[in-house]
Amino acid sequence: MNILGIESSCDETGVAVVSVEGGGVPVLRGAALHSQIAMHQAYGGVVPELASRDHVRRVLPLTEAALAEAGLHREEVDVVAFTRGPGLAGALLVGAGVACGLAAALNRPTLGVHHLEGHLLSPFLSADPPRFPFVALLVSGGHTQLMRVDGVGRYEMLGETIDDAAGEAFDKSAKMLGLGYPGGPALSRLAEHGRDDAFDLPRPLLHQPNLDFSFAGLKTAVMTAWKRLGPAPTEAQKADLAASTQAAIVEVLCTKALRALRETGLDRLVVAGGVGANARLRAQLNAACSRRGVRVHYPELHLCTDNGAMIALAAAMRCQAGLAQLGRDYRFSVRPRWDLALAGEA
Ligand code: KG4
Ligand code: ZN
């Protein structure tokens, strides 16, 4: 079975084809991606209307490219999957509209996929796929969640952010430091030249006996430290602040992920979402988990940030688990806000 997946929830247009045979391992056959980062950079963040218009321009050529790489003709597509939410409404509508139009023309079923389920399952396309059950640390630009995952569609929320997401903390701090958008990768590059302990930044909720996160206070502390540096901070001071900010975010994420493992008694951790690409987070989690006999799984680096492969994969795994609500009605709606626990609902 060949599943075409279309992702258009934010600032990446991604299309990919994943194939599955029976209960076998899903295989990524072809993928194409266009990032809108360069276009949004001038505005310091994602401009939703520009994002939607760019998805319109990119989605069909990317679909052709993904099919060509897979060596498939469009008639060989069995299911057309798309990101139904959460995300920007206009951007989601583009992917949903194209997916349903294509499926109607081919007389194939469609499947709306939850974006976070895509992130969560993306390590199953890696060379070292996880096994259920596991704890998932989902860290993206819009979400920071710890979940217990017992199988496809069996997700129990253990804790989440009560304000900003981890990626937002990276992005907003980077913006203050004049590092542009998206700030995560830039802040982490600058941090390589700085000292982690140069600034005493807060670790919000670190010692609270729960699995929730809060990053808004950290952002304020970074702003205060930044202002104290005066109008012309040196490169070394900037690097120190970047390193201290990254250290604070990473320490909180690591501590809470380890607590979740302890509380659930599970010995497997999956880290997914854009912030999962962060080298310091990976190094710290790897070290702490190997001391405790916990296996850590990540998606391949190119599948950490948004892409079509994770959407096709989530659809494929839902089909395999008998959980796919395949529709042939071709009317569509999107869910800009959508709880992952309700991902299986039509
Ligand atoms: O998962 P994603 O591509 O999009 C959302 O669903 O939000 O995540 C994007 C987020 C951005 O906040 C970006 O700054 C962050 O992931 N990010 C990173 C790194 N690469 C991407 N944050 C820290 N270090 C990185 N290397
Ligand atoms: Zn994402």
Side-chain angles (χ1 to χ4, degrees), residues 205-263:
L205 302 190
L206 187 66
H207 299 297
Q208 300 284 317
N210 61 33
L211 296 169
D212 289 332
F213 303 90
S214 163
F215 291 106
L218 174 64
K219 176 186 65 191
T220 311
V222 173
M223 188 175 336
T224 309
W226 176 244
K227 283 190 177 149
R228 276 210 195 108
L229 290 178
T234 64
E235 279 307 305
Q237 285 173 322
K238 266 169 86 166
D240 280 349
L241 187 52
S244 302
T245 306
Q246 174 173 263
I249 299 171
V250 166
E251 185 182 341
V252 176
L253 294 175
C254 274
T255 305
K256 295 275 171 157
L258 293 173
R259 183 175 296 157
L261 287 159
R262 220 169 34 242
E263 287 184 7

Side-chain angles (χ1 to χ4, degrees), residues 115 119 140-142 167-168 170-171 182-185 188 273-275 277-278 304-306:
H115 182 82
H119 277 303
S140 70
E168 242 176 311
F170 269 104
D171 292 342
S188 117
V275 182
N278 185 270
C304 273
T305 45
D306 294 347

Side-chain angles (χ1 to χ4, degrees), residues 61-77:
L62 288 171
T63 303
E64 298 294 338
L67 285 168
E69 189 180 294
L72 293 171
H73 192 263
R74 67 178 86 125
E75 257 81 39
E76 293 171 279
V77 170

Side-chain angles (χ1 to χ4, degrees), residues 82-321:
F82 60 95
T83 306
R84 189 164 182 221
L88 301 170
L92 289 166
L93 282 169
V94 177
V98 167
C100 291
L102 190 59
L106 297 171
N107 191 25
R108 297 290 188 277
T110 60
L111 182 59
V113 171
H114 195 293
H115 182 82
L116 294 182
E117 185 169 54
H119 277 303
L120 188 67
L121 298 176
S122 59
F124 282 93
L125 283 176
S126 71
D128 177 30
R131 275 202 318 264
F132 299 115
F134 54 76
V135 168
L137 173 65
L138 252 180
V139 274
S140 70
H143 295 82
T144 302
Q145 304 179 329
L146 274 164
M147 252 167 308
R148 180 191 168 105
V149 179
D150 285 292
V152 179
R154 295 169 63 198
Y155 313 125
E156 182 196 337
M157 184 75 76
L158 302 172
E160 63 183 323
T161 183
I162 57 172
D163 42 51
D164 291 355
E168 242 176 311
F170 269 104
D171 292 342
K172 289 178 176 171
S173 305
K175 203 171 177 175
M176 283 179 232
L177 272 61
L179 298 178
Y181 154 87
L187 189 129
S188 117
R189 272 194 302 276
L190 182 60
E192 284 171 29
H193 309 288
R195 290 172 299 140
D196 299 346
D197 57 356
F199 292 85
D200 186 19
L201 297 174
R203 270 69 171 152
L205 302 190
L206 187 66
H207 299 297
Q208 300 284 317
N210 61 33
L211 296 169
D212 289 332
F213 303 90
S214 163
F215 291 106
L218 174 64
K219 176 186 65 191
T220 311
V222 173
M223 188 175 336
T224 309
W226 176 244
K227 283 190 177 149
R228 276 210 195 108
L229 290 178
T234 64
E235 279 307 305
Q237 285 173 322
K238 266 169 86 166
D240 280 349
L241 187 52
S244 302
T245 306
Q246 174 173 263
I249 299 171
V250 166
E251 185 182 341
V252 176
L253 294 175
C254 274
T255 305
K256 295 275 171 157
L258 293 173
R259 183 175 296 157
L261 287 159
R262 220 169 34 242
E263 287 184 7
T264 55
L266 296 178
D267 61 358
R268 242 168 241 281
L269 177 68
V270 159
V271 185
V275 182
N278 185 270
R280 185 184 168 103
L281 178 66
R282 288 187 174 214
Q284 211 152 306
L285 279 174
N286 288 346
C289 287
S290 82
R291 282 197 296 276
R292 290 166 176 79
V294 170
R295 291 283 310 277
V296 197
H297 299 266
Y298 304 92
E300 305 284 338
L301 262 183
H302 68 282
L303 298 182
C304 273
T305 45
D306 294 347
N307 63 83
M310 68 184 197
I311 301 306
L313 171 76
M317 291 181 73
R318 277 208 166 249
C319 289
Q320 282 183 309

